Amino acid sequence: MFVKIIDYEDKYRRDVQSICIETGSKDNLVNPEHYSFTLWMYCDPYLDHGKNFLLLDDAGRVQGYILCAEDAGMFEKDIQPYIQKIKEKAPSFASRCDLSEYMQFAKDYPAHLHIDIREGYTGGGNGSSLMHALLDALQKDGVKGVMLGVDKANQRAVHFYKKMGFQVLSSDRYGSVMGRKL
């Protein structure tokens, strides 16, 4: 299966948002507040302020992405308008807008990422290709580390991140923050 990694372009915004919703909680599909929270917390701020790469299939359709904020301190400021929207339009999710879990590691791991790939495109090296595109770009930009959050129940993702050189920085009953020095 032929795939291509490209820099994000805004013409793909709706495609990326669709993948974000599809690959997230099933509640996104039936709960309008969860739908909005997911986009405003995990997608749109990165598209508007981040370093992002897309996975395109041989027909030029987006099948996955990796989204990254290079500077957690700057991102904490950039995300505030989205958090305000969550508080107003999806108030039952406002308590989930806390970035402190990440900010404690921001000095050594200033960048943080989200990666999502449609099911038919996982397991064939596409995630590794997206990750390498981002890690290479971050290193070129002089970023010294990158972190992410992962649900403990998603052991496939935990294994993938460990394979990519990430280590657990902290854990709780829900998941872990993992990081990789660059």
Side-chain angles (χ1 to χ4, degrees):
M1 166 182 5
F2 174 77
V3 294
K4 177 177 163 181
I5 308 294
I6 65 164
D7 289 333
Y8 170 75
E9 297 175 42
D10 202 49
K11 69 182 182 179
Y12 295 111
R13 184 179 199 88
R14 293 227 184 268
D15 298 319
V16 171
Q17 290 171 326
S18 292
I19 293 169
C20 183
I21 295 300
E22 280 174 38
T23 59
S25 169
K26 299 298 178 213
D27 193 41
N28 287 329
L29 303 174
V30 296
N31 181 335
E33 279 193 40
H34 200 171
Y35 179 97
S36 295
F37 164 75
T38 298
L39 291 181
W40 292 332
M41 192 70 192
Y42 301 115
C43 187
D44 292 355
Y46 297 89
L47 296 181
D48 295 337
H49 302 284
K51 179 175 288 298
N52 310 305
F53 295 92
L54 305 178
L55 176 73
L56 300 184
D57 65 16
D58 55 355
R61 294 180 302 251
V62 179
Q63 299 297 339
Y65 59 76
I66 192 164
L67 310 178
C68 181
E70 286 186 275
D71 179 325
M74 183 63 74
F75 187 73
E76 188 176 35
K77 292 176 183 135
D78 290 339
I79 199 170
Q80 291 310 309
Y82 304 91
I83 290 175
Q84 188 58 41
K85 282 199 245 184
I86 291 167
K87 288 176 180 177
E88 293 169 7
K89 309 273 186 195
S92 56
F93 290 89
S95 65
R96 293 179 56 186
C97 295
D98 181 12
L99 299 177
S100 62
E101 168 181 29
Y102 298 103
M103 296 311 292
Q104 65 181 318
F105 302 108
K107 182 180 177 208
D108 294 322
Y109 304 92
H112 61 93
L113 69 87
H114 294 281
I115 182 171
D116 288 305
I117 301 172
R118 285 193 169 121
E119 191 57 42
Y121 288 82
T122 60
N126 293 326
S128 296
S129 295
L130 278 168
M131 186 68 77
H132 286 300
L134 176 65
L135 296 176
D136 291 348
L138 293 174
Q139 284 178 317
K140 183 179 175 186
D141 289 348
V143 176
K144 64 182 183 176
V146 61
M147 64 180 147
L148 56 89
V150 62
D151 186 327
K152 274 192 178 172
N154 192 348
Q155 286 301 302
R156 183 177 178 187
V158 171
H159 176 74
F160 169 73
Y161 296 132
K162 286 181 177 180
K163 182 180 97 174
M164 297 302 301
F166 286 78
Q167 61 183 336
V168 174
L169 303 176
S170 72
S171 289
D172 62 22
R173 67 180 192 216
Y174 302 109
S176 300
V177 175
M178 299 180 78
R180 176 182 162 163
K181 299 258 177 135
L182 301 175

